[in-house]
Amino acid sequence: MLVFALSACSDDGGGGATAPTTTSTTDATTTAEPTTTAEPTTAPTATTDDATGTTAAPTTGTTDATTDATTDATGSTTDPGFDCAAIPAGPFTPEPLWSGYTGSEDLAFDGAGHLALKKDGQVVLVKADQSETVLADGFPQVYGTRFATNGDLLAALPQAGVLQAIAPGGEISDLATGLVGPNGLYVDPGGRVWLTEFAGSRVVRFDANWSKVTIYEGPDAASANGVVLDPGRGVLFFTNYGAGRLLKLAVDDQGAPAGAPEQVASVQGAKLDGLALDVCGHVYAVDQGNSRLYRVRLDGRGAAVGEPELLAEFPKNVANAQFGAGPGFDSSSLYVAGNPGDVYRLEVGVPGAAIGLP
């Protein structure tokens, strides 16, 4: 998905000099909703289970999320081809790759050798050698981006409250309207689309006909931002940006909620933005407020093992990270981008979990 836009949690400050303290807990408590300066400011509205304005054909072909990962004796998600005990510890040094992708926050791999980014008003597909193809032009501010399994690039437009699709030929269509600050996007291995509504305090899922199903709405989703599904555990992870919290929500095989959100971990002073998952079931969270990246190691139940691990600090703002996918990109590296339009590579020595790809 493209790195379209101003950060869903835009805070243009770089990494601070002092690392924040971290806590891991299973008790989710919120004393006040965080305030932000660059996120949508539209007031939350009542939840609607059906998104109106659907004009595009469904991009999902199945409702069952599957994964190649298996479950070990403790229930944790592992990859049969990778020794999860051998994951190298950080910190790591980011490698600057490219600059000039202005307004970038998110980024999306199509698995065929392209990374979707935003460059001024254009959406471009960039190969590993930085050769570019323009996919669409005249695009406004965009937050979350991901490729759907039918090959369309999905784009969340926060100001318009719309989820759009850009077809491989550049045609643009509205998939859902009436959203309240649409932000983070994730396409699971089964093709289902998950989205956070930052200003609506909601996490939602879109089914094959683009009907919107509210997975959770409430204070734990205040300034909801990053989102990722672990189908092996049956757990949906999302962030509370303003409070620096990582939460989990049990979901069943059909993607319906099976309980209430629980806090997994928090990072004091952080603004937790985008999320990624590795094949061993550990979560990576970008601290957009301080230009840092953390890894939260998890057990088989999705509970934190120890404190969040600071993996890297970046010289300029970053907001989202995705594991490399496709020719020319390293599957054991995270590619990280943020507001100034710089893209970094961070080799972490473990592949990413399966995601939905065209």
Side-chain angles (χ1 to χ4, degrees), residues 262-341:
E262 299 178 39
Q263 182 167 302
V264 177
S266 66
V267 181
Q268 184 177 349
K271 304 292 186 184
L272 295 186
D273 202 312
L275 294 178
L277 186 75
D278 69 24
V279 293
C280 298
H282 306 310
V283 172
Y284 298 73
V286 179
D287 173 8
Q288 190 265 347
N290 299 293
S291 300
R292 295 180 171 127
L293 176 73
Y294 289 88
R295 175 168 55 205
V296 182
R297 293 180 184 258
L298 305 175
D299 66 14
R301 297 174 295 108
V305 178
E307 302 296 333
E309 177 187 4
L310 178 61
L311 290 188
E313 298 186 71
F314 296 82
K316 294 185 180 179
N317 181 265
V318 291
N320 284 276
Q322 290 293 299
F323 280 94
F329 295 100
D330 180 17
S331 62
S332 294
S333 290
L334 283 164
Y335 293 79
V336 190
N339 286 328

Side-chain angles (χ1 to χ4, degrees), residues 5-290:
L6 298 184
S7 153
C9 324
S10 290
D11 179 342
D12 294 331
T18 303
T21 58
T22 60
T23 60
S24 298
T25 177
T26 56
D27 296 324
T29 59
T30 304
T31 57
E33 288 197 13
T35 59
T36 59
T37 57
E39 289 287 357
T41 56
T42 306
T45 58
T47 302
T48 302
D49 286 340
D50 293 323
T52 60
T54 300
T55 59
T59 63
T60 57
T62 178
T63 58
D64 292 323
T66 59
T67 178
D68 293 333
T70 58
T71 303
D72 67 16
T74 65
S76 61
T77 303
T78 58
D79 176 12
F82 184 82
D83 180 6
C84 291
I87 296 178
F92 306 107
T93 301
E95 174 192 355
L97 287 183
W98 310 321
S99 60
Y101 294 93
T102 55
S104 299
E105 176 195 286
D106 207 356
L107 63 172
F109 288 98
D110 66 0
H114 302 101
L115 179 61
L117 298 168
K118 190 169 187 289
K119 189 174 185 180
D120 297 323
Q122 295 179 329
V123 176
V124 294
L125 302 180
V126 187
K127 292 185 178 180
D129 63 3
Q130 208 182 354
S131 58
E132 300 175 358
T133 302
V134 176
L135 179 62
D137 205 350
F139 238 79
Q141 185 181 30
V142 178
Y143 284 171
T145 58
R146 290 292 183 275
F147 277 97
T149 53
N150 72 342
D152 288 352
L153 179 65
L154 307 181
L157 279 61
Q159 306 299 343
V162 176
L163 176 64
Q164 289 190 329
I166 308 174
E171 300 84 4
I172 300 170
S173 57
D174 289 351
L175 301 178
T177 62
L179 304 172
V180 187
N183 194 328
L185 274 169
Y186 176 72
V187 179
D188 70 29
R192 295 173 299 188
V193 177
W194 307 77
L195 177 130
T196 56
E197 292 185 72
F198 185 94
S201 299
R202 277 193 292 272
V203 181
V204 303
R205 188 193 73 241
F206 291 97
D207 289 331
N209 62 354
W210 289 105
S211 61
K212 187 181 81 170
V213 178
T214 297
I215 303 302
Y216 173 76
E217 178 180 18
D220 282 327
S223 63
N225 202 316
V227 60
V228 67
L229 177 73
D230 182 347
R233 291 190 184 98
V235 173
L236 185 74
F237 296 97
F238 62 94
T239 60
N240 178 315
Y241 171 82
R245 303 169 66 212
L246 173 66
L247 298 108
K248 67 175 181 178
L249 179 66
V251 295
D252 63 22
D253 290 342
Q254 302 305 312
E262 299 178 39
Q263 182 167 302
V264 177
S266 66
V267 181
Q268 184 177 349
K271 304 292 186 184
L272 295 186
D273 202 312
L275 294 178
L277 186 75
D278 69 24
V279 293
C280 298
H282 306 310
V283 172
Y284 298 73
V286 179
D287 173 8
Q288 190 265 347
N290 299 293

